[in-house]
Amino acid sequence: MSASDRPHHKIWPKRLPRELVVPQTSLWFNLEVAAARYPDKTAFLFFGKALRYAQLKAQAEALAGWLQAQGLGAGDRVALYLQNCPQFVVALYAIFRANAVAVPVNPMNRADEFGHYITDPETKVVICAADLAGFVAEADAALPPAQRLKAVLVTRYTDGMPDGALDPAEAPNAAIEQWLRADPTLPAGYARWAEALAAGHVPGPHTAAPDDLALLPYTSGTTGLPKGCMHTHRTLMHNAVSGLWTNSGAETVGLGVVPMFHITGMMLCALSTVYAGATLVLMPRWDRELAGRLFARHSITHWTCIPTMVIDLFGSPNYRSFDLSSLRYIGGGGAAMPQAVAQRLLDEFGLTFAEGYGLTETAAPSHSNPVERAKLQCLGIPYFSTDARVVDPVTFQELEPGQDGEIIIHGPQVFKGYWRHPDATEAAFVSFEGKRFFRSGDLGRMDEEGYFFITDRLKRMINASGYKVWPSEVELLLFKCPLVQEACIISAKDEYRGETVKAVVVLRAEAKATTQPEDIIAWAREHMAAYKVPKIVQFVDALPKSGSGKVMWRLLQEQDAQRTAG
């Protein structure tokens, strides 16, 4: 079956072109255009405070000048280490304006994890939230002088919030507001956000071209530490301009709660919003009661989320009073939407949840369900300009509809390779029908109409509420624990998260008499992102190993499944 005659072409929505005409410019130009077209239009709303397009451009230019004044050159890397807030977007476009490369880092990471995001991409500058500055300092201090950072810029979330008390309708719960207003003492030499913007530095010429590196988001794998995915302005531009799929445009008002450090949030909140000249209501952390109020208050039209957010929204005692009548689109991915929850969404709010599928390597969507013809618990059909197949993972022969195989993807949004990992890059691609396809590592099938469904994984990975947990990374961190001799990470079933993290641990001899599972969990909370922390810890005398000495994680996984079933 050729690329020009795919099953989904027969059901392709008539309102949509099959391929997009993509601007041959840098991503910075998108902000220049939006600011020229809509200077006084609200780009982002943060707890009631508006950041307008002209302001966004002016702040990004000022920050780009400051970055260059710190010695940042074209192609240099800048880490972004903070939750959703307007400053994230300002900083991202400042990096683009300075012809540099953004490295988004999960703000749930701790110092032990953050050091990798300095050393591997050779980061020059970090822009972080005040509550994370201590982790940056700790990670940086542990490095040799030659690898140390040139500068650290710190913002408080209140830098993007209204002065004084928040309008009760815009206010989060008390715990989140207390976190937002925290102003810890900063390490010596760290610059503050307002000072950088007020410094008056004028950036040099913008020279970034479409094929220059723009973003280096990190993804983990079956072995070793996370690897950077090389995305250019061109690979990101394709999905940034794809708002046609969801009928998005300058009139769109979105709810931006998917985190921007993640490729989906980056694309949705920062890149697509600005390209369209749309408005986005930003939330730094999920708060169901606040979200429920914001739908009606700002007439939100589009919401991309993960299914657990919808489940949690239904769990609110106030959910029947939430007015979602302005919503024209709701969808997302990261985990399958339960059939019963999707049905409730349809029955009670008249909304069809349109699932999608993508990876960091594909700049988020490679597949999506058309809003007018969505199938539940389905990845959707291949996106604009995208060719996807299901093949035998050994022979790479294409399989017939209904047969399980590996999903491979070719399209303009596919990344260029893993940063400084040529072997991993080579292994990630396969030549198929004369084109370079990315091997997703996900096993799936395609139905007769060309819709894709995921069935299993080739990669060893845990999906906890949409957060991808790579066992090898958690194992490497646990080996630093003074109580642990060996550890193997497997997945365990979880009614809410779908899957959760389980650690099978061999304790050091001196720790066996006194250590409890809670001690391992407590140590993990201090040294790794919360979503990676094992929720279950099982002690064993020894881990099963193959003849070559490799830990037989699959055997442990099967044993756990049998134990659970029993």
Side-chain angles (χ1 to χ4, degrees):
M1 195 181 300
S2 68
S4 60
D5 184 29
R6 305 299 299 165
H8 66 277
H9 290 166
K10 295 178 182 178
I11 56 90
W12 189 268
K14 291 184 178 180
R15 66 183 174 86
L16 296 175
R18 288 189 193 169
E19 297 187 355
L20 297 177
V21 179
V22 179
Q24 305 295 301
T25 60
S26 75
L27 295 163
W28 166 256
F29 190 69
N30 294 347
L31 177 54
E32 282 200 328
V33 170
R37 285 177 170 169
Y38 317 111
D40 300 322
K41 185 175 187 295
T42 297
F44 296 92
L45 271 165
F46 195 55
F47 299 106
K49 183 175 181 178
L51 178 67
R52 306 186 190 281
Y53 273 102
Q55 294 172 314
L56 174 57
K57 177 174 178 277
Q59 290 184 19
E61 287 184 316
L63 186 54
W66 182 87
L67 287 169
Q68 290 177 336
Q70 312 312 305
L72 190 77
D76 284 345
R77 275 72 65 195
V78 181
L80 295 174
Y81 187 36
L82 62 168
Q83 298 278 10
N84 285 9
C85 59
Q87 301 94 296
F88 192 114
V89 187
V90 171
L92 179 69
Y93 281 91
I95 294 165
F96 294 156
R97 175 63 181 83
N99 312 306
V101 180
V103 181
V105 181
N106 188 335
M108 297 172 77
N109 282 349
R110 297 298 180 250
D112 287 19
E113 300 157 303
F114 189 78
H116 180 64
Y117 299 95
I118 302 175
T119 57
D120 191 70
E122 297 180 354
T123 293
K124 298 291 192 296
V125 180
V126 171
I127 300 174
C128 70
D131 62 322
L132 301 175
F135 296 135
V136 176
E138 184 181 342
D140 193 37
L143 299 176
Q147 294 181 303
R148 300 284 296 275
L149 296 165
K150 285 188 175 181
V152 178
L153 177 63
V154 181
T155 183
R156 299 164 298 170
Y157 292 106
T158 50
D159 290 332
M161 292 167 59
D163 295 330
L166 297 177
D167 182 323
E170 302 276 3
N173 66 53
I176 292 179
E177 183 162 3
Q178 182 180 12
W179 161 70
L180 288 165
R181 294 192 181 281
D183 187 18
T185 302
L186 300 185
Y190 283 15
R192 282 192 176 270
W193 182 262
E195 296 166 356
L197 295 185
H201 294 294
V202 177
H206 179 62
T207 59
D211 292 317
D212 286 345
L213 194 61
L215 193 72
L216 203 60
Y218 273 69
T219 184
S220 296
T222 52
T223 59
L225 293 166
K227 296 183 287 292
C229 295
M230 296 188 290
H231 275 291
T232 64
H233 291 270
R234 190 187 303 276
T235 60
L236 296 170
M237 186 70 81
H238 179 272
N239 284 353
V241 307
S242 63
L244 285 172
W245 191 273
T246 58
N247 296 312
S248 297
E251 297 76 25
T252 294
V253 180
L255 181 63
V257 66
V258 179
M260 283 190 277
F261 72 81
H262 187 274
I263 193 66
T264 301
M266 171 70 67
M267 192 57 61
L268 167 80
C269 301
L271 301 183
S272 297
T273 294
V274 169
Y275 176 81
T279 296
L280 197 76
V281 181
L282 278 173
M283 291 179 67
R285 287 184 178 175
W286 172 245
D287 178 341
R288 70 186 184 189
E289 303 304 322
L290 175 58
R293 296 193 300 271
L294 292 176
F295 288 117
R297 185 170 181 85
H298 297 295
S299 299
I300 287 167
T301 61
H302 288 64
W303 184 28
T304 297
C305 59
I306 57 174
T308 48
M309 292 177 181
V310 179
I311 295 167
D312 195 42
L313 199 69
F314 277 134
S316 167
N318 304 309
Y319 92 91
R320 291 189 182 278
S321 67
F322 297 154
D323 181 2
L324 275 63
S325 60
S326 60
L327 267 182
R328 301 201 309 266
Y329 169 81
I330 180 170
M337 169 61 81
Q339 174 85 30
V341 178
Q343 194 63 48
R344 283 185 68 186
L345 198 58
L346 182 62
D347 293 344
E348 299 187 31
F349 294 102
L351 293 166
T352 298
F353 191 86
E355 292 184 49
Y357 168 79
L359 304 102
T360 305
E361 290 90 343
T362 64
S366 63
H367 295 66
S368 192
N369 274 276
V371 291
E372 57 269 73
R373 207 175 186 278
K375 294 186 179 183
L376 292 177
Q377 296 179 321
C378 169
L379 307 181
I381 61 177
Y383 215 44
F384 297 112
S385 313
T386 303
D387 186 7
R389 311 296 182 93
V390 177
V391 300
D392 184 294
V394 177
T395 66
F396 299 111
Q397 295 296 306
E398 185 171 8
L399 300 175
E400 293 295 318
Q403 292 184 301
D404 286 351
E406 184 177 4
I407 299 170
I408 60 172
I409 302 157
H410 171 85
Q413 75 276 56
V414 174
F415 78 137
K416 296 303 180 184
Y418 295 111
W419 173 260
R420 294 178 178 170
H421 282 276
D423 292 344
T425 298
E426 184 178 357
F429 288 91
V430 61
S431 179
F432 182 85
E433 293 185 355
K435 295 188 294 189
R436 190 170 181 251
F437 278 74
F438 170 65
R439 299 186 62 183
S440 71
D442 287 325
L443 294 175
R445 59 181 171 83
M446 183 185 74
D447 70 11
E448 295 287 346
E449 292 188 309
Y451 285 78
F452 282 63
F453 297 80
I454 198 164
T455 54
D456 205 346
R457 308 184 192 105
L458 283 175
K459 297 175 181 176
R460 183 186 170 205
M461 184 265 287
I462 301 167
N463 187 347
S465 297
Y467 282 109
K468 305 297 190 294
V469 180
W470 298 92
S472 61
E473 186 183 358
V474 180
E475 287 164 3
L476 287 172
L477 290 165
L478 278 180
F479 276 116
K480 296 181 180 181
C481 177
L483 305 172
V484 174
Q485 179 67 34
E486 284 187 284
C488 180
I489 297 297
I490 59 174
S491 68
K493 290 188 180 298
D494 185 278
E495 288 187 6
Y496 180 67
R497 302 173 87 200
E499 292 180 306
T500 195
V501 182
K502 177 176 178 176
V504 183
V505 172
V506 177
L507 292 170
R508 294 187 184 183
E510 64 273 19
K512 287 183 177 180
T514 57
T515 303
Q516 300 297 318
E518 293 75 17
D519 299 325
I520 305 296
I521 295 170
W523 184 93
R525 285 199 184 105
E526 294 181 6
H527 293 84
M528 63 183 77
Y531 69 93
K532 299 176 191 172
V533 172
K535 299 295 185 291
I536 305 168
V537 174
Q538 175 189 353
F539 294 149
V540 295
D541 292 330
L543 297 175
K545 294 177 182 174
S546 67
S548 62
K550 291 185 178 180
V551 174
M552 299 171 69
W553 67 268
R554 197 178 297 276
L555 175 61
L556 290 171
Q557 187 70 71
E558 291 169 354
Q559 289 174 347
D560 188 75
Q562 291 170 0
R563 187 182 302 111
T564 304

